[in-house]
Amino acid sequence: MTERQKHIRNFSIIAHIDHGKSTLADRILELTRTVGAHEMEEQILDNMDLEKERGITIKARAVRLFYPAKNGEEYTFNLIDTPGHVDFNYEVSRSLKACDGALLVVDATQGVEAQTLANAYLAIDSDLEIIPVINKIDLPSADIERVRGEIEDVIGIPAEDCPAVSAKTGQNIVDIMEKVITDIPAPEGDEDKPLRALIFDSYYDSYLGVVVCVRVMDGSLRAGQRIRLMSNGAEFDVVEVGAMDAFGLRATECLLPGDVGYLTASIKNVSETRVGDTVTTAADGASEALPGFREARPMVFAGIYPADGARYGDLRDALEKLQLNDAALSFEPETSVALGFGFRCGFLGLLHMEIIEERLEREFNLDLITTAPSVIYKIHKRGGELAWIENPSNYPAQDEIEVAEEPVVRASLITPTEYIGGLMELCQERRGEYHDMKYLDAGRAELHYTLPLNEIIYDFFDALKSRSKGYASLDYELDGYRPSKLVKLDFLLNGDPVDALSFIVHEEKAYGRARRIAEKLKENIPRQLFEIPIQAAIGSKIIARETVKAMRKDVLAKCYGGDITRKKKLLEKQKEGKKKMRRLGSVEVTPEAFMAVLKLNDE
Amino acid sequence: MADKSLGLYIHIPFCLQKCLYCDFCSYPAVAEEMRSAYVAALCREIREAAPILTDYLVDTMFFGGGTPSLLSAEEYLHISKAVFENYRVVPSLEFTSEANPATLDDEKLTAMREAGINRLSIGMQSANAGELSALGRVHRNEDVFTSVEMARRAGFDNINLDLMFGIPEQTKETFATSLEAALSMSPEHLSVYSLQIEEGTPFYERRTFLSLPSEEEESEMAELLYRTAERSGYRRYEISNFARDGMECRHNLRYWRMQDYRGFGVSAHSLIGDHRFFNGGGLSTYIHDPLGIAEEEELLSPAMREYEALMLALRTADGVEDAAFTAEFGHGFAEKYGKRIAPFLSRGLMVLQNGRYALTKAGMSVSNGILREILDEM
């Protein structure tokens, strides 16, 4: 190992939500004096508004810092930020692969919590050195000794000399820095071997093209080099390499083993630079890629429509912009009789979908209507034809189907033992197939199930959290397709089918679902001049029925000379309100009502 | 050129105490001097408006309020004299005064007759003591009976009673009792309003605490009303108005037929030709200068006139006559609105009879919803 490598430490901060990850990152930035206190924006690492608000980090970023240690030497710290949700588990794992250690932040008043555990195990899986950090010791209710005990008992890592700090006041932060130097190993890697650099993030910049965040494992990376991406063989000429500091990109001459930095190579599309892929040289490159690459494939699909049909073009532009930075987002145009022109979009999971929706609404000022999420079904038609169906509208008629298959996932749930019963019940309800259960230690177990993907895309994660008081964690990966008794459920308002409400569901669940949605529609459709029948149907068979009664009274009792102008204004105001309504066939529905129905929880 | 007909409305913005649901322009417990000053201003406005209305023959007059029956006998005479001396009035004049049952006595009723008033509209509202007090009414139920008796004695052969339903705490039974009580007095005319909680009233302020009848109960009351009124020989000729044959209120029909009317007094509205205007400002402003305060004048465009004509005509049982509509607006009603009204015709909310399109009973209950579908954008 070179002297240079000995003075590098690559690590990330992991924590339960609200335990102080971002504040700690700020203090570290201050202490390393890469950023002046007065210049610093709050919480630099989380640089999207949305992230600040939700307290989750959506895309990983890295920052290079210089730390003058007590031993008189200067160290380079690369602080790598990680996203924190199951939809992004793969990205988290890649970000962690770029590190050699992690700070595990635990709130001194809250102790070890669900996400602390889940994150700790992800880090342990990645062979990282973990430094527990007890934070918020400035709070009166802080109980450092109890939390120290919890870290040792629950997570099972030594904590007798772990730093106890206040990220808010800055107290003892230096202890962490020194601990990083002594406890986290310096990065390995051989400069003379062929280049292997791990892509852990990439984003689109309108001047530079795609900026690819990498950790160099072996070899060297410099401007002018011709590189090859090992998963897809794409080749590019490197324009610039460098490091990211708190102010942006800083070009350097080269990146060597252990370095965390970026490269640009006039790459037009982030989908070419996939997270987890290995960068090598085009000539005399490495023969073997770094392990663990997985293509980010959309697993959940939904139709997204502008509430105002005239903004279809704006929606397309917005999706194109978001896609520049989000290779996992896919979309293509589709039309709905009920909703007009929109897009069928593909997402990693439900949270990914919600984040995209929110960004579209917030950053691009769009009002959206989103249909129920769906997965991709594999339909063997009579006559041998195979169809992949991601939009319920295209689902073939029942008598054309030989066999229908649905995607399943292998799910692993880690939970404190007291919630095992509840979670097994949940998996049972969601048509899960039980494999086994392992006790990880006295208090925790890991459950393995095969679950249909369409059972977990609605609200499984929420149900899991509510049945385990937030402690259980979920990880899953796609595990192929299984034959299944699927049916397409349609809804008719006033006798007209509303395509945007259709979805595919397992036969056994169809009745319950149909009834609940019909009820929900009834609650959410405002009374109109006529009675509106709501029907749920499989093919031509009606399986649930509700009625929105006709409005009984909407009349102005008095209308004499002095009331006429007022009455005109009242009618005009009501007509304005009416314009905001969406027409589904002959029925008027508020956009909110439509959403309420689609966001149906399975409670 | 043939004489045009005109209705005169005279607003008396005084009352003993403001009812809790009332959003009309009215000042409770005003000193007598203020009232005489107002009457003087009123007479001045009446006189000075006359020269530009010489083409007109007045065929209806209406004292509204407030509580017009708070006027003294002399004040009634004074005001009507101002009209009779300055306007041409038809012999068959319909001349109404609204009255609060707590304010009537033989002497005042006789003076009203002398002033030419031949129709009395009595604010009965309910026969239930609890409901009357919930509404903030000053009169007692007995006062209504006495008033009607006295009015008959004084020669009134055209009496309207105002009733309300949808009152806090009201039940179908108490409403039925009120309705029977009203009918037992054999009025020529009934106005029955469903209570509307208007912004700016005490009821609006405490609307969340009022225990109003449910929509279901209210529509049962409405059903009961329509059945009972019809059985007792009253025709529902407008959403809230019922009359024996030939006893419809001609003055109010002017509003719904968009025939000319001139309103005198504070906050009174007028429609003369296509000119719609009203007397804005407060009481003292009006007393100071009754001529200078027309506010919110509007010259109705043909499109706006058509809009209002439909909005108002569809309140009445007569509805819209296609031939007359074509004559006035240059295109047929069915021709222009056929597509919009088709679902209402087919679902029984509207009916075509003898060339007239009108809302049915079911249609009248949701007339706002129907108008929203029918009327043009403005």
Side-chain angles (χ1 to χ4, degrees):
Chain A
M1 186 181 297
T2 64
E3 271 310 301
R4 193 189 57 80
Q5 273 164 278
K6 281 181 190 160
H7 288 83
I8 297 175
R9 296 293 182 274
N10 297 325
F11 63 97
S12 64
I13 306 174
I14 53 185
H16 184 79
I17 190 163
D18 289 338
H19 279 199
K21 171 173 147 178
S22 302
T23 321
L24 180 60
D26 291 349
R27 288 299 91 78
I28 293 175
L29 290 174
E30 276 179 350
L31 205 72
T32 49
R33 294 196 191 86
T34 1
V35 195
H38 62 285
E39 294 161 312
M40 198 180 62
E41 246 187 274
E42 277 292 288
Q43 302 180 356
I44 277 180
L45 284 185
D46 286 347
N47 55 11
M48 280 192 266
D49 280 355
L50 191 60
E51 293 176 21
K52 273 189 197 166
E53 202 159 294
R54 295 183 150 227
I56 35 175
T57 309
I58 295 155
K59 293 297 273 181
R61 291 281 186 275
V63 183
R64 185 186 60 179
L65 311 158
F66 299 104
Y67 175 64
K70 284 183 176 166
N71 63 14
E73 294 173 36
E74 188 175 74
Y75 287 82
T76 303
F77 284 0
N78 290 302
L79 175 53
I80 295 160
D81 202 15
T82 56
H85 186 275
V86 61
D87 282 0
F88 305 110
N89 252 4
Y90 171 68
E91 285 172 302
V92 179
S93 73
R94 291 311 91 189
S95 290
L96 293 177
K97 279 284 179 209
C99 304
D100 302 297
L103 304 180
L104 178 67
V105 182
V106 185
D107 185 318
T109 67
Q110 310 276 324
V112 172
E113 296 211 51
Q115 271 182 320
T116 323
L117 269 178
N119 287 321
Y121 282 95
L122 266 177
I124 291 168
D125 276 352
S126 308
D127 297 322
L128 299 190
E129 182 64 36
I130 297 176
I131 301 175
V133 172
I134 300 174
N135 187 23
K136 303 197 186 178
I137 60 166
D138 56 308
L139 294 180
S141 54
D143 186 348
I144 301 171
E145 287 318 307
R146 179 181 65 87
V147 173
R148 222 185 272 282
E150 273 185 22
I151 295 172
E152 298 197 336
D153 298 344
V154 182
I155 311 181
I157 49 178
E160 67 270 20
D161 60 346
C162 76
V165 309
S166 165
K168 198 172 139 204
T169 65
Q171 188 188 351
N172 299 344
I173 302 295
V174 174
D175 294 357
I176 301 177
M177 315 296 271
E178 293 295 323
K179 202 91 176 133
V180 165
I181 294 168
T182 53
D183 287 23
I184 294 178
E188 309 260 336
D190 187 346
E191 191 184 332
D192 298 326
K193 284 192 183 168
L195 171 69
R196 289 203 300 178
L198 173 74
I199 300 179
F200 65 89
D201 190 17
S202 64
Y203 64 91
Y204 185 81
D205 179 285
S206 38
Y207 298 106
L208 304 170
V210 176
V211 176
V212 188
C213 303
V214 294
R215 151 83 190 261
V216 178
M217 299 299 184
D218 290 312
S220 63
L221 184 62
R222 43 190 95 229
Q225 239 170 3
R226 187 155 183 85
I227 52 165
R228 180 160 56 85
L229 305 181
M230 293 185 76
S231 75
N232 55 11
E235 295 192 4
F236 301 96
D237 292 314
V238 177
V239 173
E240 185 179 301
V241 301
M244 295 150 283
D245 67 21
F247 297 111
L249 306 179
R250 271 182 212 264
T252 54
E253 191 190 328
C254 63
L255 294 175
L256 297 173
D259 281 344
V260 172
Y262 71 91
L263 70 87
T264 64
S266 305
I267 303 169
K268 302 246 162 17
N269 200 321
V270 284
S271 63
E272 294 190 88
T273 55
R274 295 162 180 163
V275 168
D277 202 354
T278 306
V279 181
T280 190
T281 47
D284 302 322
S287 52
E288 219 174 296
L290 296 162
F293 173 73
R294 213 158 80 188
E295 214 172 313
R297 254 185 323 213
M299 298 217 268
V300 174
F301 293 82
I304 294 190
Y305 293 81
D308 171 4
R311 302 205 60 195
Y312 172 78
D314 295 341
L315 175 59
R316 185 191 51 226
D317 295 347
L319 283 167
E320 277 170 3
K321 282 204 179 104
L322 289 182
Q323 199 182 42
L324 284 177
N325 265 322
D326 189 344
L329 169 67
S330 69
F331 63 91
E332 58 183 55
E334 74 170 8
T335 38
S336 151
V337 179
L339 301 177
F341 292 99
F343 296 92
R344 175 110 320 222
C345 302
F347 311 95
L348 292 174
L350 213 57
L351 178 81
H352 187 212
M353 169 168 143
E354 283 173 17
I355 286 170
I356 296 291
E357 274 181 82
E358 254 187 82
R359 293 192 62 184
L360 288 169
E361 294 191 334
R362 199 182 301 206
E363 295 169 32
F364 300 91
N365 274 323
L366 290 158
D367 280 331
L368 303 175
I369 293 177
T370 309
T371 67
S374 171
V375 300
I376 306 184
Y377 297 95
K378 189 174 164 183
I379 309 297
H380 303 269
K381 292 197 189 169
R382 293 188 202 279
E385 195 194 328
L386 178 67
W388 297 90
I389 306 290
E390 59 188 36
N391 184 344
S393 302
N394 302 332
Y395 200 78
Q398 214 60 37
D399 58 6
E400 290 173 34
I401 298 172
E402 183 80 51
V403 181
E405 292 188 60
E406 65 177 331
V408 293
V409 298
R410 267 189 93 79
S412 112
L413 289 72
I414 298 180
T415 174
T417 47
E418 64 229 74
Y419 307 118
I420 290 175
L423 295 189
M424 288 180 107
E425 221 172 86
L426 172 66
C427 291
Q428 194 72 32
E429 287 163 19
R430 303 302 173 95
R431 300 188 284 127
E433 183 191 318
Y434 172 80
H435 294 299
D436 56 28
M437 176 171 70
K438 282 188 208 124
Y439 281 89
L440 300 172
D441 51 49
R444 282 178 324 115
E446 182 170 5
L447 295 163
H448 290 111
Y449 273 90
T450 294
L451 281 157
L453 182 60
N454 86 356
E455 292 288 344
I456 60 177
I457 57 169
Y458 289 98
D459 60 343
F460 186 80
F461 196 70
D462 292 341
L464 175 89
K465 290 294 178 190
S466 79
R467 291 194 199 192
S468 67
K469 301 209 165 84
Y471 277 96
S473 67
L474 165 72
D475 191 13
Y476 60 79
E477 58 186 77
L478 211 52
D479 191 30
Y481 277 76
R482 297 278 168 84
S484 179
K485 288 187 171 164
L486 300 170
V487 292
K488 180 185 173 205
L489 195 54
D490 294 314
F491 288 86
L492 295 86
L493 294 184
N494 218 1
D496 303 323
V498 178
D499 58 355
L501 289 175
S502 297
F503 60 90
I504 312 299
V505 63
H506 191 265
E507 194 180 55
E508 283 169 18
K509 301 229 154 172
Y511 285 82
R513 259 249 163 67
R515 247 195 328 273
R516 272 198 307 279
I517 294 190
E519 283 164 14
K520 191 109 176 186
L521 278 167
K522 182 186 173 178
E523 285 166 25
N524 281 287
I525 294 177
R527 285 192 183 194
Q528 295 171 31
L529 290 170
F530 310 114
E531 184 175 285
I532 303 163
I534 300 167
Q535 294 160 306
I538 298 173
S540 55
K541 189 174 155 209
I542 303 295
I543 64 164
R545 185 192 300 267
E546 289 284 346
T547 307
V548 180
K549 289 209 182 122
M551 197 191 304
R552 295 291 284 271
K553 187 188 150 196
D554 182 9
V555 56
L556 197 69
K558 287 194 183 192
C559 193
Y560 300 108
D563 305 307
I564 292 168
T565 309
R566 198 165 51 141
K567 162 109 182 177
K568 271 197 297 193
K569 285 184 182 153
L570 174 80
L571 281 173
E572 284 310 297
K573 208 166 119 192
Q574 290 175 339
K575 277 159 98 66
E576 275 306 304
K578 208 171 122 67
K579 275 191 216 152
K580 295 192 185 114
M581 299 286 224
R582 196 158 262 275
R583 253 182 201 280
L584 300 179
S586 53
V587 178
E588 279 177 351
V589 181
T590 61
E592 297 80 36
F594 202 76
M595 303 276 269
V597 173
L598 292 172
K599 291 227 160 124
L600 179 76
N601 282 348
D602 235 358
E603 292 308 315
Chain B
M1 193 175 131
D3 285 321
K4 294 181 280 185
S5 75
L6 182 69
L8 297 184
Y9 175 80
I10 298 157
H11 192 68
I12 306 300
F14 308 113
C15 53
L16 291 170
Q17 101 186 13
K18 192 115 173 165
C19 300
L20 298 171
Y21 55 87
C22 171
D23 74 330
F24 289 105
C25 172
S26 181
Y27 300 81
V30 164
E32 233 166 274
E33 297 76 47
M34 183 78 133
R35 212 178 63 213
S36 0
Y38 179 75
V39 170
L42 203 52
C43 293
R44 191 173 153 216
E45 192 192 3
I46 291 170
R47 276 195 309 271
E48 304 212 7
I52 55 163
L53 295 169
T54 48
D55 290 353
Y56 287 89
L57 264 179
V58 174
D59 79 349
T60 67
M61 278 173 70
F62 198 104
F63 271 111
T67 304
S69 53
L70 276 182
L71 292 175
S72 66
E74 293 72 37
E75 286 164 341
Y76 263 124
L77 288 166
H78 199 58
I79 299 168
S80 65
K81 207 173 127 205
V83 175
F84 288 112
E85 285 179 358
N86 293 283
Y87 294 81
R88 291 187 294 145
V89 175
V90 298
S92 61
L93 175 76
E94 176 197 272
F95 190 176
T96 306
S97 177
E98 290 181 342
N100 183 307
T103 60
L104 293 176
D105 55 38
D106 286 324
E107 188 200 356
K108 187 170 289 177
L109 285 161
T110 309
M112 285 171 143
R113 294 294 300 171
E114 280 173 30
I117 296 168
N118 54 24
R119 185 174 180 273
L120 206 56
S121 175
I122 298 177
M124 171 180 177
Q125 315 312 355
S126 166
N128 182 288
E131 287 166 16
L132 288 174
S133 109
L135 291 168
R137 299 288 300 180
V138 290
H139 77 270
R140 294 164 308 157
N141 180 37
E142 306 87 88
D143 297 337
V144 181
F145 286 86
T146 329
S147 297
V148 171
E149 237 177 77
M150 288 189 295
R152 293 291 188 210
R153 261 203 319 266
F156 283 99
D157 58 2
N158 189 355
I159 294 180
N160 168 59
L161 294 176
D162 272 357
L163 278 180
M164 289 176 93
F165 65 107
I167 302 170
E169 314 283 350
Q170 193 179 36
T171 65
K172 194 180 160 191
E173 287 67 37
T174 63
F175 176 64
T177 311
S178 295
L179 193 56
E180 272 168 41
L183 292 172
S184 75
M185 290 176 261
S186 306
E188 283 65 35
H189 190 285
L190 269 180
S191 296
V192 192
Y193 304 105
S194 104
L195 173 69
Q196 317 231 313
I197 310 288
E198 303 287 356
E199 243 175 284
T201 64
F203 268 8
Y204 186 82
E205 297 309 315
R206 52 174 136 114
R207 59 195 179 282
T208 46
F209 306 106
L210 296 178
S211 91
L212 297 168
S214 67
E215 197 185 48
E216 190 65 36
E217 289 169 309
E218 215 186 299
S219 73
E220 280 178 17
M221 292 180 203
E223 270 311 307
L224 174 79
L225 164 67
Y226 307 143
R227 247 192 351 261
T228 314
E230 194 183 347
R231 210 178 39 220
S232 313
Y234 296 85
R235 186 176 78 104
R236 188 188 188 193
Y237 69 99
E238 193 259 359
I239 286 174
S240 306
N241 286 283
F242 304 79
R244 293 204 188 278
D245 268 350
M247 304 309 280
E248 294 83 7
C249 177
R250 279 156 42 204
H251 183 82
N252 286 341
L253 280 168
R254 305 189 76 85
Y255 297 125
W256 305 317
R257 292 175 176 164
M258 285 191 82
Q259 294 162 340
D260 295 338
Y261 48 91
R262 178 64 165 86
F264 298 117
V266 62
S267 94
H269 288 66
S270 302
L271 176 72
I272 302 291
D274 288 327
H275 189 203
R276 189 182 274 304
F277 57 97
F278 92 105
N279 289 342
L283 187 56
S284 47
T285 322
Y286 179 80
I287 291 173
H288 180 70
D289 180 9
L291 304 172
I293 55 173
E295 258 184 32
E296 266 205 45
E297 288 188 74
E298 187 183 8
L299 200 61
L300 299 182
S301 64
M304 187 50 92
R305 192 171 175 94
E306 181 175 330
Y307 181 104
E308 285 191 7
L310 289 180
M311 175 181 103
L312 294 165
L314 288 174
R315 296 185 66 83
T316 65
D318 284 349
V320 180
E321 193 190 4
D322 212 348
F325 185 91
T326 313
E328 183 167 4
F329 298 108
H331 47 257
F333 175 72
E335 177 195 355
K336 174 167 173 187
Y337 297 94
K339 215 172 156 186
R340 297 182 217 173
I341 61 172
F344 303 123
L345 284 167
S346 71
R347 306 256 199 148
L349 296 184
M350 194 183 241
V351 49
L352 168 64
Q353 234 166 9
N354 308 324
R356 293 175 170 277
Y357 291 88
L359 298 189
T360 61
K361 194 168 73 179
M364 281 189 180
S365 315
V366 292
S367 72
N368 287 345
I370 295 174
L371 292 174
R372 282 198 296 274
E373 297 286 335
I374 295 182
L375 297 178
D376 283 334
E377 294 292 330
M378 273 302 144

